[in-house]
Amino acid sequence: MATTEQWLKLLQDAKKTAIIQDGKRKVHFLMTDGREMVEEYSVDTNVLVKRAWKEKGKLGQEIGWVVEVGDPEPNPADNLESPIISRRTTKTALEWRIRNLSYPKDVYSVTAEDDGTITVRTSNKKYFKKINVPDLERAGLKPEQDRISFTHQFNTLIITYKKPPKLLDMEKKVYEMVSQLKVSKDGDVQCPAS
């Protein structure tokens, strides 16, 4: 499991470029290990609205950008009726929205697991999903049950995880780092489409 210090050092050592576009501070990280990550922060709230990683296949071919935080890129091959998970973050919480789940709220159970995941299951055995929480992994933490709450409305299960102080502190340090970057003029930097 990574530590806060390892994550902060990885970001500190990365080559970083930043632009402000469409009300967002967009930061591109080229890590020393060759990985690429893009983060977008709302200029109004300073909250992370998107994080995506550039993925490569086993043979090194480009797969494209995989969204960790924010709405996933639409895939025409996806079944519009199947559950779709998106990840959001607020100043105080991590949030997952699982769309296309029509069961009533009392059918769902959302639990923190020893393996570092959050598990969603239904008592009618129609839905089961283990959700990884990379933010907590980077902070060297595991999910805690008392930080989890959930609600269900409009066929969407909304899971909220109250951020622990260690994660809030780590996010503050990352934002301080990206907010001090020199901002390039719009259009000078290659970033994935949002």
Side-chain angles (χ1 to χ4, degrees):
M1 185 176 278
T3 65
T4 301
E5 293 75 26
Q6 290 168 325
W7 176 243
L8 292 173
K9 180 158 178 40
L10 183 68
L11 298 183
Q12 190 68 47
D13 293 348
K15 182 179 177 200
K16 298 173 279 300
T17 50
I19 62 171
I20 293 184
Q21 182 182 51
D22 302 327
K24 296 181 192 112
R25 175 184 301 271
K26 299 180 180 188
V27 184
H28 179 266
F29 295 84
L30 179 56
M31 311 296 183
T32 54
D33 60 10
R35 292 182 297 163
E36 288 182 67
M37 178 181 77
V38 172
E39 291 187 332
E40 296 179 5
Y41 293 85
S42 164
V43 173
D44 297 332
T45 64
N46 302 336
V47 170
L48 178 72
V49 292
K50 186 170 193 166
R51 178 183 294 131
W53 291 87
K54 193 169 205 173
E55 294 286 325
K56 293 185 191 246
K58 289 187 171 98
L59 302 174
Q61 76 276 25
E62 298 284 329
I63 292 176
W65 291 90
V66 176
V67 176
E68 179 183 313
V69 175
D71 290 329
E73 299 297 324
N75 183 349
D78 286 345
N79 176 350
L80 296 177
E81 301 300 313
S82 63
I84 299 168
I85 297 182
S86 64
R87 237 308 290 288
R88 303 218 170 126
T89 186
T90 68
K91 282 190 183 293
T92 59
L94 306 175
E95 187 180 280
W96 294 264
R97 291 173 182 260
I98 309 176
R99 294 184 179 86
N100 300 329
L101 290 179
S102 57
Y103 317 112
K105 181 182 178 191
D106 60 3
V107 168
Y108 299 97
S109 123
V110 181
T111 53
E113 304 294 336
D114 287 338
D115 66 1
T117 62
I118 293 175
T119 300
V120 180
R121 53 175 64 85
T122 56
S123 57
N124 63 9
K125 305 207 183 308
K126 300 282 187 188
Y127 187 76
F128 178 88
K129 179 73 177 170
K130 279 189 160 294
I131 300 172
N132 292 315
V133 192
D135 306 70
L136 293 179
E137 288 173 26
R138 291 179 193 117
L141 300 169
K142 288 189 175 184
E144 300 169 53
Q145 188 64 44
D146 61 355
R147 293 185 172 280
I148 297 172
S149 61
F150 66 94
T151 185
H152 185 269
Q153 59 187 24
F154 309 114
N155 287 341
T156 302
L157 183 69
I158 302 166
I159 303 163
T160 304
Y161 187 86
K162 186 174 184 250
K163 292 178 183 175
K166 188 174 179 182
L167 180 58
L168 290 166
D169 184 55
M170 183 177 81
E171 288 180 344
K172 181 180 174 202
K173 288 175 181 169
V174 171
Y175 186 75
E176 285 170 359
M177 183 190 316
V178 301
S179 66
Q180 293 172 13
L181 292 174
K182 182 175 178 286
V183 178
S184 301
K185 287 193 229 56
D186 189 6
D188 287 352
V189 180
Q190 290 284 324
C191 287
S194 359

